[in-house]
Amino acid sequence: MSKTRIGILGYGNLGRGVELAIRQNEDMELVAVYTRRDPATVTVETPGVAVRSAEQLEAGNEPIDVLILCGGSATDLPAQTPVFAGKYNVIDSFDTHHNIPQHFERVDEAACAAGTVGLISCGWDPGLFSLNRLFGNCFIPEGSDYTFWGRGVSQGHSDALRRIEGVADARQYTVPVEAALEGARSGTHPNFTTREMHTRECWVVLEEGADPAKIEAEIKAMPNYFDEYDVTVNFISQEELDRDHAELPHGGFVLRSGDTAGGHTSVIEYSLKLGSNPEFTASVLVAYARAVARLAAEGQKGAYTVFDIAPAYLSIHDGAYLRSHLL
Amino acid sequence: MSKTRIGILGYGNLGRGVELAIRQNEDMELVAVYTRRDPATVTVETPGVAVRSAEQLEAGNEPIDVLILCGGSATDLPAQTPVFAGKYNVIDSFDTHHNIPQHFERVDEAACAAGTVGLISCGWDPGLFSLNRLFGNCFIPEGSDYTFWGRGVSQGHSDALRRIEGVADARQYTVPVEAALEGARSGTHPNFTTREMHTRECWVVLEEGADPAKIEAEIKAMPNYFDEYDVTVNFISQEELDRDHAELPHGGFVLRSGDTAGGHTSVIEYSLKLGSNPEFTASVLVAYARAVARLAAEGQKGAYTVFDIAPAYLSIHDGAYLRSHLL
């Protein structure tokens, strides 16, 4: 079997997750990690994997079949994915839902011009949760959608806490409200406010001399992030944060419920419980990187999302195996 | 919008479910119901829908885009699907897992020769549960699979009960064992015996003079169907059976759990709670019939399963809509 040669751009939590995920996919090979840092300062775990400067990607002749972009959605991916789709087959986990259409168009233009394949917004949300929203809407055409996140660490909300003056460090958990989950499962199509679906749980380390009451009030009033939620704030020491909140678990639930034309209720529920958000996201990226390589080998080009990928393309196994073992 | 013209072959519970499901899909139109009975004896619910003899399909010139085959897997579909794939685009819900590879080959041969598309084994198991087994294996390459069915009516087991001498009527519910479900969700990869995963609950109407103790013993000893399970047998009147057990609910759970190479546990759970098994199965068939029509319009041919269908093909909406609303 000739292996699919993977490059990783960006060696943070997600990039490290991709490195690990490739070890569980024997048809994949990690060729190089590309970094914007000085490559001499970056040590990867896997023996024999090169660390190269991100600049070396520019010429478009690195020996990789798919480049997995592991940067952030705020500034990295909007700039990187269209550029590198012009040189390589690429995949990203761009997750700013509102800007997906524009990102898709820019990647599509670059990939069509270059004859490459660019798969965007791949992970679990957007990604697997999106698939389940789509499937739910197709199989239950008249119904209600629910997406719950958690219990898990929201890195965006943790960052927002850390930007508050007087906060030394912080971790924020998004927690689905059990009663709302039960309501969504009941098939009675309840409508929920933002506050009714999730609570937010903050673990905060204060800087010396900071006023906990003032900081708690500031957190609870923060627009968009916290003001529409029931929020609990717990003050702990850095040691406690490091000991009890070092992991990045996450997950959630996608539900679709509705009635058939015969008046019978159907409920579809999809859920994820993830010990490590970046490691699982990386596993999803690696499976879709396999699909990208296959589409490219067929001569396809342009931008894709998870909606456009036939599930069989994700598997290491061929169609005959899948039909006899998993159908 | 030009509608996709659907024909239904076989007007039992599933055929009636397809008729209902088409009403929730405005791009679909039911043209005719084909039956092996005397068409004069069959009345369909939808005004304007023709009832025709199944023989009229033979010439291959009925005005339909997709024929949805609603017969049984034991004898109807193995004979019908390859024959009609030679004349029309077809879709079936063939569910004898063991014979799927052979059925696929026969449909593929006929469809390739005729230039048609034939999608087999579509429904929720095989079908949506298969998809989730495949996705689970791709995103958690090292892990354990669990499929639980129920709580729901097993028509095969109900039929088996009715074949016992002295049984006038019966209904059998397959029930997942809650402790096993919790074990599967725990991520500890337990192994279960058949008995540990499901129980079987029988509701039996006796013929006059039949011996309940003898029949209960006969049920519990029935090989394959009941002998490997904990079985409860309840004797009730025909009136009670008709009043309390007339519906065909079903559902179940597909779980995949395993560890990332970083040692973090991931658990994926997919579940269905269906008020009507045939009506939901029909909804799935109609969504996949849309995909069949699209593949055929593209000039594709041959046999397909749910593994081969890009999710976007299932939706009434176009890619831009899906990316902005569901991704």
Side-chain angles (χ1 to χ4, degrees):
Chain A
M1 172 166 42
S2 111
K3 297 194 178 192
T4 298
R5 300 166 302 167
I6 302 290
I8 293 172
L9 175 56
Y11 196 63
N13 285 328
L14 184 58
R16 265 183 278 266
V18 169
E19 179 184 13
L20 290 170
I22 288 169
R23 296 184 190 171
Q24 294 186 319
N25 290 275
E26 60 183 45
D27 59 337
M28 302 287 203
E29 177 187 6
L30 177 57
V31 171
V33 168
Y34 299 90
T35 179
R36 286 173 301 184
R37 291 177 270 169
D38 175 358
T41 67
V42 175
T43 308
V44 298
E45 277 192 50
T46 312
V49 169
V51 180
R52 294 162 177 263
S53 164
E55 287 168 21
Q56 293 190 262
L57 288 165
E58 310 269 329
N61 57 5
E62 291 294 294
I64 55 177
D65 299 307
V66 183
L67 179 64
I68 303 185
L69 299 165
C70 297
S73 293
T75 55
D76 296 336
L77 299 176
Q80 290 172 345
T81 315
V83 167
F84 292 115
K87 303 170 195 287
Y88 302 96
N89 303 304
V90 298
I91 177 168
D92 78 18
S93 60
F94 183 76
D95 67 359
T96 311
H97 286 260
H98 181 72
N99 295 335
I100 284 174
Q102 183 196 12
H103 189 59
F104 183 90
E105 293 306 326
R106 295 180 63 214
V107 173
D108 192 51
E109 194 178 320
C112 284
T116 59
V117 171
L119 179 71
I120 66 156
S121 298
C122 181
W124 59 272
D125 194 4
L128 308 191
F129 276 17
S130 320
L131 278 179
N132 279 280
R133 287 187 285 263
L134 172 57
F135 284 137
N137 277 266
C138 296
F139 306 137
I140 304 179
E142 299 174 4
S144 305
D145 290 303
Y146 303 92
T147 301
F148 294 87
W149 295 274
R151 184 175 194 266
V153 173
S154 164
Q155 301 188 354
H157 286 78
S158 299
D159 289 343
L161 293 175
R162 283 189 286 262
R163 286 194 295 266
I164 294 173
E165 206 184 309
V167 170
D169 202 350
R171 192 60 54 111
Q172 194 266 189
Y173 294 87
T174 305
V175 185
V177 175
E178 193 61 36
L181 253 176
E182 286 308 318
R185 286 175 179 141
S186 71
T188 59
H189 314 304
N191 290 311
F192 298 116
T193 62
T194 297
R195 188 178 303 274
E196 286 169 334
M197 289 184 75
H198 297 92
T199 58
R200 298 199 173 278
E201 186 185 301
C202 307
W203 300 84
V204 176
V205 180
L206 293 176
E207 288 178 350
E208 222 177 283
D211 175 358
K214 180 171 167 286
I215 284 175
E216 178 163 345
E218 193 173 339
I219 291 170
K220 290 183 172 175
M222 197 187 293
N224 303 316
Y225 284 94
F226 293 103
D227 64 337
E228 293 181 62
Y229 297 88
D230 289 337
V231 178
T232 56
V233 181
N234 308 281
F235 296 103
I236 56 174
S237 69
Q238 185 74 53
E239 292 68 39
E240 287 168 319
L241 191 83
D242 293 344
R243 184 191 66 207
D244 301 334
H245 304 281
E247 301 286 329
L248 294 169
H250 220 316
F253 304 81
V254 174
L255 290 115
R256 173 81 177 172
S257 70
D259 291 348
T260 62
H264 291 95
T265 301
S266 309
V267 181
I268 306 176
E269 177 171 342
Y270 182 80
S271 73
L272 298 173
K273 266 190 304 192
L274 310 173
S276 167
N277 180 355
E279 289 177 12
F280 182 77
T281 301
S283 271
V284 176
L285 281 169
V286 168
Y288 275 95
R290 179 182 290 122
V292 166
R294 288 183 177 163
L295 288 169
E298 287 178 4
Q300 308 290 336
K301 61 182 181 176
Y304 290 77
T305 75
V306 294
F307 295 156
D308 307 307
I309 307 298
Y313 279 81
L314 303 173
S315 175
I316 192 170
H317 299 294
D318 66 13
Y321 179 96
L322 297 177
R323 287 189 293 276
S324 62
H325 289 80
L326 296 173
L327 196 64
Chain B
M1 171 167 42
S2 111
K3 296 194 178 193
T4 298
R5 299 166 304 167
I6 302 290
I8 292 171
L9 175 57
Y11 196 63
N13 284 329
L14 184 58
R16 266 183 277 267
V18 170
E19 180 185 13
L20 290 171
I22 287 169
R23 296 184 190 172
Q24 294 186 319
N25 290 275
E26 60 183 44
D27 59 336
M28 301 287 204
E29 177 187 6
L30 178 57
V31 170
V33 168
Y34 300 90
T35 178
R36 285 173 301 183
R37 291 176 269 168
D38 175 358
T41 66
V42 175
T43 307
V44 298
E45 278 192 48
T46 311
V49 169
V51 180
R52 294 162 177 263
S53 164
E55 288 169 19
Q56 293 190 261
L57 287 166
E58 310 269 330
N61 57 5
E62 290 294 294
I64 54 176
D65 299 308
V66 183
L67 180 64
I68 303 184
L69 300 166
C70 297
S73 294
T75 55
D76 297 335
L77 298 176
Q80 290 173 347
T81 313
V83 167
F84 292 116
K87 302 170 195 287
Y88 303 95
N89 303 305
V90 299
I91 177 168
D92 78 17
S93 59
F94 183 76
D95 67 0
T96 311
H97 287 259
H98 181 72
N99 295 335
I100 284 174
Q102 183 195 14
H103 190 59
F104 184 89
E105 294 305 327
R106 295 181 62 216
V107 173
D108 193 49
E109 194 177 322
C112 284
T116 59
V117 171
L119 179 70
I120 66 156
S121 299
C122 182
W124 59 271
D125 195 4
L128 308 191
F129 275 17
S130 321
L131 278 179
N132 279 281
R133 287 187 285 264
L134 172 56
F135 284 137
N137 277 267
C138 295
F139 306 137
I140 303 179
E142 299 174 6
S144 305
D145 290 303
Y146 303 92
T147 300
F148 293 88
W149 295 274
R151 182 175 195 260
V153 172
S154 164
Q155 301 189 354
H157 286 79
S158 300
D159 290 343
L161 293 175
R162 282 189 287 262
R163 285 195 296 268
I164 294 172
E165 206 184 308
V167 171
D169 202 351
R171 192 61 53 111
Q172 194 266 189
Y173 294 86
T174 305
V175 185
V177 174
E178 193 61 35
L181 253 176
E182 287 307 318
R185 286 174 179 141
S186 71
T188 58
H189 315 304
N191 289 311
F192 298 116
T193 63
T194 297
R195 189 179 302 275
E196 287 169 332
M197 288 185 76
H198 297 92
T199 58
R200 299 199 173 277
E201 186 184 300
C202 307
W203 300 84
V204 176
V205 180
L206 293 176
E207 287 177 352
E208 222 177 283
D211 176 356
K214 180 171 166 287
I215 284 176
E216 179 164 344
E218 194 172 336
I219 291 170
K220 290 182 172 175
M222 197 185 293
N224 303 318
Y225 283 94
F226 294 103
D227 64 335
E228 291 180 65
Y229 296 88
D230 289 338
V231 178
T232 56
V233 180
N234 308 281
F235 295 103
I236 56 174
S237 69
Q238 185 72 54
E239 292 69 37
E240 288 169 318
L241 190 83
D242 294 343
R243 186 191 65 206
D244 302 333
H245 303 282
E247 302 286 330
L248 294 169
H250 220 316
F253 304 80
V254 174
L255 290 114
R256 173 82 177 171
S257 70
D259 292 347
T260 62
H264 291 95
T265 301
S266 309
V267 181
I268 305 176
E269 177 171 343
Y270 182 80
S271 74
L272 297 173
K273 266 190 305 192
L274 309 172
S276 167
N277 180 355
E279 290 178 12
F280 182 77
T281 301
S283 271
V284 176
L285 281 169
V286 168
Y288 276 95
R290 179 180 291 123
V292 167
R294 289 182 177 163
L295 288 169
E298 287 178 4
Q300 308 290 335
K301 61 182 181 177
Y304 290 78
T305 75
V306 295
F307 294 156
D308 307 307
I309 307 298
Y313 279 80
L314 303 173
S315 175
I316 191 171
H317 299 294
D318 66 13
Y321 179 96
L322 297 177
R323 287 189 292 276
S324 60
H325 288 79
L326 296 172
L327 196 63

